[in-house]
Amino acid sequence: MLKYNSLFMLIISFMLFSCEKDIEIVLPDAKTKLVVEGNIEQGRPPFVMLTKTTPFFSPTDINSLQNSFVKNAIVTVSNGTTSVQLQEICTNQLPDSLLPAIAELIGVNLESLKTFGFCLYTTLNPAIFGEVGKSYTLSIQSGNEILTSITQIPSLVLPNKFWYKDQPGFTDFGYVWFELNDPPQIGNAYRAFTQRKGKDSRFIPVLGSVFDDQFINGLTFDGVFLRGKEINSTNPDDLGETADYFQQGDTIIIKFCTIDQRHYKFWDTFEIAAFNSGNPFSSPVTIQTNINGGLGVWGGYGVSYDTLIAVDL
Amino acid sequence: MKRFWLSISILTAFVLNIDFVVAQNYTISGTIRDAATNETTVGTTVYVKETLQGTSTNEKGFFSITLPKGTYTLVISYIGYKEIEIPIELNKNIKINEKIESTAITKEAFEVVGEKENINTTKAEMGTVELEMEKVKTLPAIFGEIDILKTIQLLPGVQTAGEGNSGFYVRGGGPDQNLVLLDGATVYNASHLFGFFSVFNADAINDVKLYKGAMPAEFGGRLSSVLDISMNDGDMKNYKVDGGIGVISSRLTIQGPIKKDKASFLMSARRTYAGDIAQPFISDSSKFKGSNYYFYDFNAKINYIISSKDKLSLSGYYGRDVFVFNNSDDGFGLETPWGNAIASLRWNHIYNDKLFADFTAAFTNYNFEVKATQDQFGFRLYSGITDWNLKADFNYLPSILHQVKFGAAYTFHKFTPNNAEVNSGDVDFNTGDVIINYANEGAVYVSDDWDLSEKIKIQAGLRYTIYQHIGPFKRFNNDALGNPIDTVVYKKGETVKYYQGLEPRLAARYQFNSSSSLKASFSQNYQYIHLATISTVSLPTDAWLPSTEVTKPQFATQYVLGYFKNFAQNKWESSVEVYYKDMKNQVEYKEGALPKDDGGNNVDNNLTFGKGWSYGAEFFIKKRAGKFNGWIGYTLAWTKRQFDEINEGKVFFARYDRIHDASLVLNYDISKRLVLGATWVYATGNALTLPISRYFIEGQIVNEYGERNSFRMDAFHRMDFALTLKGKETKRFKSSWNFSIYNVYNRKNPYFIYFTNEGNAFDGTLDLQAKQVSLFGIIPSISWNFKF
């Protein structure tokens, strides 16, 4: 929410003396690790994408990227009573109704999803669809490697209200505000996404999409959402001074989720790592995965939706 | 147990000594002053011509020599001054208060002052370096801003923290392991502008001494080094004004007598021009209006000679960095003031011709604060440390063969590690209690410089330290996810944790002949305070932390062996030293720890502990005098660390590991008015952690990092020149121009490396590129200095 990094800006000011050049770096060989990107929401099947790490400077063409999908793994999700093995599906085999959810999981827009063709593991067996309050164990066997993780779909916490307000200095651009009562016990964590009708093809995480109640436990407080963007977007909306804002008149669907703490730690460190990249004054941030034996995240979401028409009252 | 016996045997040695000296001996003692200014001269050599045994004056200009009854010639010698010989019939205790006269004025700047000619081969200490301020001022300096800490970095065994940085690392020790003293008071953060400039205004500084080897027992509380800086006393006879106008800052010093030959004062101030540093950046886009950066500092000292036996001095330092950043676009504002406030009161007293003492009461405070606002959100982060310190140091000179020092010190520490306040409108976020830690630290020590025989000299010391972390204090016990399980509350004054330790210090010299010697030293040190760094440079956000029941005191053992040889009538000095240093209970933040995890928590809950070690060889050749003088230093060293919870427990290089580190410093006295200074430095590139592989999460590239600090940037090297041109001198007015060129051959030294990614991975347009940023290219600068 706040730009702690402004100290860095001062140093940048020193860089009026500085210069920059492209360099060639020979990096040592890296051991390949398995990466999990999986989630489960109430009323929806689990989705698990399994990929592997590639050397930093390995080719980036579509074929090489598609080779990073790990196929023929045994992926099982259990809710304590029912255990279901997921099936491997590629997106071109899926009904269109499921694609937005996949797009959200993978973090790409629908177009890329349709052209690129992602492969993932899921099931249509409703016995393992997400339920609020339940914990879900993931286990993956691929070759000799075994990965495990557990996540929970926490009880919902609904914000009291959402509203839009013009940002001082701007007309027709502003943030989405919310008021939340954090429950009395410590350990609540949240993640938020928004989708502007007619503008976004999926729910995009807001800027700094997660927060927990470390400093707000049991409090009623006002918070703010800055608009998130597609990765490396070249959309005119996403460039320039108003990129972080919603626009007056937008119809915004807000997806507000409760998540468990280890799930939160993953996104928190993930976002800080992305934010710090290129900052010489921070050490590399270690992303705190909740996957035993691998990287990535297995996360449960307790989801609530709200629609807000952006009008400054 | 071993340490116990060692200490017993050292103490026994002292007791035995004292029995020996009850013979027919008399003492010659006194104070040596500069005839022109009446200021005491530090390090003046006083020796007996017949036996060549001698001493040098201490920080207060005092000396004392005890000899058997006889007839002697006493020589008082200080380079740059006329030598004095005094015949003495020693059959009673004698007092000698002499004034020495400076020789030709031009000579003072270019000759090495304050050193007995073969002192480096004859003293037992190793790794002690004294900087001559006059010489420092003729060396090149970035933006013409003379900086003693950057000169220190040109010495072997002392590594720089990075380009333009005044932070320094001694023999593999971290920046928190250097004790920086200004007139006896600790300076916790010795840099301005995130390390680009040191807080020491060269005009106010009289003497700088660095101990990097076995620290004498009078010093402690740090593992790696002591940088002992003393401020100018102030002229006892005449009023003087010194000043300088430079590219980024100006300074002014006024000194003079309050009462002639009795009391003097000195005031010195320096300030960077408001916003000049940040302004060019701001002017481009006015939305940053109101943004500014500047620093200033102020030094003051009062000296009062109460009697021939008592002198009182009061010194003070106050400095602040202020950084204001505004961005009207997104309603963001930030203000970060930080700095040191230091005061010390010293009384030195001469009991008799064999015993004199220094009593110091000091206060030091370092504070850092960030205040940020964005829209209705407010954020404040603050940290700091405050010390109250009392010290008594005694010098006892029972005979010419012994110089005994003993004393005691007590410090009360108040630590304020990172505390945060956050609010949204009227709602204050609960960032937990304000956490303040209190601790007592005490020390007693004794040491003896003992001429065992003509060839063997020993400096043996023992320091005993105690440390007590006291309440009020709250210990938060957390679960694996950082949620509090329970809290242990300690009442005010209640002991939370107690530590103690014996620190033996031993240095010995074997003299082959007057120009060569072999030295060895062994030392052990405890350090009860820690600086945990969450980022890669010492930003002022790093907070000082106490030892607690979780964080154990740092402990180091150092072994050094050195060979010292002088050539050509001591005009050339050379030395080789090899060392091994072992450091225990080193701290780092846990992998994945974030600054906000410190909120409402004990910072040490986020720390992890390990060990470090460093070994290497240092080569040094110095030409001490003549038109052409300077030195070459080269260090070959390795510094490694091992933490069970970092880098999967594998050994890794410390960030400040420099395998090769070389420096060349030259001064050439072209004419009486023109001095050329040049420096060249070379250092192995910084060790850093780089991504070795990548993966995608939500379509974003995520880096998977390789082993910690396993990659090296390109080597750092740079040459600087400085030309000092002295203006025509009149009796009343002196001035000089200083022209310097930083990075003469415009080397693009790597400052940091980062990676960019552009395009979209899923349509095949992704492009990854490594980029290297260099900070300073060639920078000419000019400053004008005056004196009247």
Side-chain angles (χ1 to χ4, degrees), chain B residues 517-529:
Chain B
S517 63
L518 186 71
K519 301 183 195 180
S521 75
F522 165 79
S523 61
Q524 290 191 316
N525 296 38
Y526 281 96
Q527 176 169 339
Y528 297 101
I529 61 171

Side-chain angles (χ1 to χ4, degrees), chain B residues 299-330:
Chain B
N299 288 282
K301 191 166 180 178
I302 295 171
N303 255 289
Y304 180 48
I305 300 174
I306 303 168
S307 69
S308 64
K309 293 194 165 178
D310 294 281
K311 188 183 149 189
L312 211 57
S313 67
L314 178 67
S315 327
Y317 168 88
Y318 185 83
R320 279 285 176 276
D321 280 57
V322 180
F323 171 49
V324 183
F325 180 82
N326 284 312
N327 185 349
S328 56
D329 260 11
D330 52 8

Side-chain angles (χ1 to χ4, degrees), chain B residues 279-355:
Chain B
Q279 226 63 38
F281 166 65
I282 293 163
S283 54
D284 290 340
S285 37
S286 59
K287 64 181 177 182
F288 297 123
K289 204 164 180 262
S291 301
N292 201 350
Y293 172 82
Y294 59 91
F295 71 75
Y296 59 89
D297 41 38
F298 184 74
N299 288 282
K301 191 166 180 178
I302 295 171
N303 255 289
Y304 180 48
I305 300 174
I306 303 168
S307 69
S308 64
K309 293 194 165 178
D310 294 281
K311 188 183 149 189
L312 211 57
S313 67
L314 178 67
S315 327
Y317 168 88
Y318 185 83
R320 279 285 176 276
D321 280 57
V322 180
F323 171 49
V324 183
F325 180 82
N326 284 312
N327 185 349
S328 56
D329 260 11
D330 52 8
F332 181 72
L334 180 135
E335 195 186 336
T336 69
W338 75 93
N340 298 284
I342 293 160
S344 74
L345 178 68
R346 285 182 134 178
W347 169 38
N348 64 295
H349 176 68
I350 300 169
Y351 286 94
N352 54 48
D353 44 30
K354 288 182 185 170
L355 180 68

Side-chain angles (χ1 to χ4, degrees), chain A residues 21 24 64 82 96 172-173 182 203 217 222 242 252 259 299:
Chain A
K21 65 175 181 189
E24 290 298 319
S64 318
T82 315
D96 275 1
D172 296 345
F173 288 95
D182 182 72
F203 282 99
N217 186 39
D222 292 349
T242 54
I252 305 157
I259 56 179

